[in-house]
Amino acid sequence: MKTKINRYITLALLIIVGASCSDDFLEEKKNYGLYDETFYQNQDRVDWYINKLYYNFYFGYNTPIKTVVGLHTADQAGLTEEIGGTQNLINPNVEYTNANDVPTGYYGTKLENKVKNEPYHRIRDCNSLLENIDSKGSSLSQEYRDRAKGQMYYLRAIQYFDLMRTYGGVPIVTTVQNASSTDASIQLPRASVSEVVAQIVSDLDNAASLLPGQWDAPNYGRFTKGAAMAQKSRVLLTFASPLFNKNWDTDNSRWDAALQAGLAAETQLLADGFGLYGSSAKEWADMFLINNAFCKEAITVQLCAAGQVGTINNGWENSIRLISQGGTGALEAPKEMIDLFPLNNGLKPTVANGYDSFLFFKNRDPRFYRTFAFTGSKWGYKENTVPTVWSYNWKGAGATDSRSFSDGNQESSPVFVRKMSNPTATNASYDLSGTDIFEYRFAELLLNIAECYAAKGDITNTVAYLGKVRNRVGISSANNYGLGTLSDKYAAINAALYERRVELAYEGKRFYDVQRWMLYNDDAFANNNTCAKLGLAPINGTQRTGYYLQYNVADSGTADPLAAQRAGISVDPDNANFATQIQALEDFYTNNLVVVPLDTPMDNVNGAAVQIDWKSRYYIMGLQTSTLTQNTWLRQTIGWEDAFGSDGTYDFQQ
């Protein structure tokens, strides 16, 4: 009897047909390596193997902020300015110092001769196909085998990249290992970060040499030649950054390598039909809704299925929609994010530049209105195509009466993330959304290039590449696209990092920018003084803040006192009368609302406000006790204690 194997929608696959495999074969795959010599002679089986690996790498990548392969939690976004709420890694009352309390076990457990979805087991699965497909699958076409190997090289590379970003150097395994407690040949030490990067780059070069520039429509979403080259740009940019590069400010060799990789990827992708999508902010927003079909901006994409239980659905829609819209509650934007986006002329939102934080919605970067919804703005969904969202409150008439909230939206901010949401989504099945997730966009590649130019002190090209990103959404070229005169390379790097915060907001990128530039604090750890160099305030000592908009008349009773005043108000950036709508909303805010603090701060411990306190040792995690005791030859990371309480000796900057 035959069974259908679902091609779960992963970073590279559509939910389409299944490869035909026997039930016995599926039973065999519970243990690693139990297949006969004919396995690689059957293309359906090899397809299944490849598709299952894609799934293992990306099964949990169901929102844009869950980016770590095989892990897929949203914790990292909550360690930055993007999302409030105190986690242990930034909690001033919690400190991790030794192997017993390292807060991540991403490295995985000991190697076993069975199928486990952990980093080194996923690497072994890649190695197995690379070792066997040519020798055992010679009946398959050369093109098919090359493309299969290209995908394995890519997957292995990104697994090592995420291990590197978490732990620094790790053992490099490029052949199939069988679990053994006595085989000394597999007791590999932690490689240097330089060696890990060299392996990743080699894998990505191999992938690029084997993969096509484009796949046919049924295989849309699989890794391409340009994707491998763009990933190389991302890896080398990380390697050039201060966390791994003590000489980032005095030696341009790593920046040169990252720049050349970025420019080569740009050239290849443009030749293959990729590039910035659209020429307006509306098209910038619309591109995120191109589903299961080619989008020129999407270098790598997680394809999702709509309305199908048992497939990969995009959970973002359900997680960000307000209660009044049938969602689980808004993803509230901290004030630090509200006040981040430029003005519509590209200038930073300062009082000197005319910014009023109370009337935050006036004259903003066009991306602001596509990244956020806010009290008084239109945010559609299928069941109500012209809704306006409201989140203000008022006090009851009695002295002890609590607040009431408009439309039941008790949110800690009047501004909510709406980016990558679908205005035609149905609230009957937000949780089964089919909106694809763009893991790597062409805009990010351009920003990688801009940052490399900035670090080299090439301000002209920095502005040119930042200008491409800004011009696409309608910011004019005046005053260097609002960037002004960048006085030196530090100001240029500052501008590049700022643009990343805006363009890539809520796409799972900010934590890695903070990490690789060590922006939580300046101290002696890893010779870090980047905040001072770049003119940036350290994140430590700050907090994500929320606030209420409250009716400015006390003792208002239980009914919504602003129901009549708000009638007819709806800010829609696509409306021809947008400026008039903004003025009407300004009048509504000015006449009726005031800012009041939250009952409980956005960043709090047991209700008391706290400030972010990231410990420098957290930039690179130590190894857990279980890993060290199972692999006694591995050294603990400097800054962490090992299983016996001794200081770590592994230096991730060598």
Side-chain angles (χ1 to χ4, degrees), residues 552-616:
N552 60 15
V553 176
D555 303 331
S556 304
T558 56
D560 187 339
L562 296 176
Q565 290 92 321
R566 79 186 204 188
I569 294 177
S570 183
V571 168
D572 177 6
D574 293 331
N575 193 289
N577 296 317
F578 179 59
T580 302
Q581 294 174 343
I582 287 287
Q583 184 60 57
L585 188 61
E586 176 183 351
D587 294 341
F588 177 84
Y589 272 53
T590 302
N591 295 333
N592 298 295
L593 300 173
V594 293
V595 170
V596 297
L598 300 177
D599 297 325
T600 302
M602 188 175 277
D603 286 354
N604 75 89
V605 174
N606 297 323
V610 294
Q611 296 178 328
I612 292 172
D613 184 14
W614 168 276
K615 313 304 188 296
S616 293

Side-chain angles (χ1 to χ4, degrees), residues 8-21:
Y8 291 98
I9 298 169
T10 65
L11 186 67
L13 295 176
L14 294 170
I15 278 252
I16 42 176
V17 299
S20 177
C21 300

Side-chain angles (χ1 to χ4, degrees), residues 304-371:
C304 297
Q308 300 182 45
V309 177
T311 64
I312 292 180
N313 309 116
N314 187 338
W316 184 246
E317 197 81 54
N318 197 45
S319 69
I320 65 174
R321 286 288 186 168
L322 292 125
I323 294 295
S324 63
Q325 298 179 316
T328 58
L331 178 55
E332 301 97 336
K335 190 175 187 299
E336 290 68 28
M337 288 299 293
I338 301 169
D339 294 342
L340 170 71
F341 277 57
L343 301 176
N344 57 7
N345 56 8
L347 296 177
K348 288 190 174 181
T350 64
V351 173
N353 289 333
Y355 178 62
D356 181 343
S357 63
F358 176 61
L359 302 174
F360 56 82
F361 48 83
K362 293 182 59 179
N363 303 320
R364 301 303 295 273
D365 181 313
R367 290 168 293 186
F368 180 88
Y369 307 104
R370 316 289 175 164
T371 302

Side-chain angles (χ1 to χ4, degrees), residues 44-90:
D44 282 345
R45 286 189 169 191
V46 178
D47 279 344
W48 180 91
Y49 189 96
I50 295 170
N51 297 348
K52 188 62 167 66
L53 264 183
Y54 271 104
Y55 178 77
N56 287 348
F57 271 69
Y58 294 106
F59 70 96
Y61 185 36
N62 62 357
T63 78
I65 58 177
K66 295 182 178 180
T67 56
V68 181
V69 296
L71 183 62
H72 305 298
T73 68
D75 294 345
Q76 290 180 332
L79 301 173
T80 73
E81 310 93 323
E82 292 189 339
I83 300 174
T86 301
Q87 299 182 34
N88 282 342
L89 283 174
I90 53 175

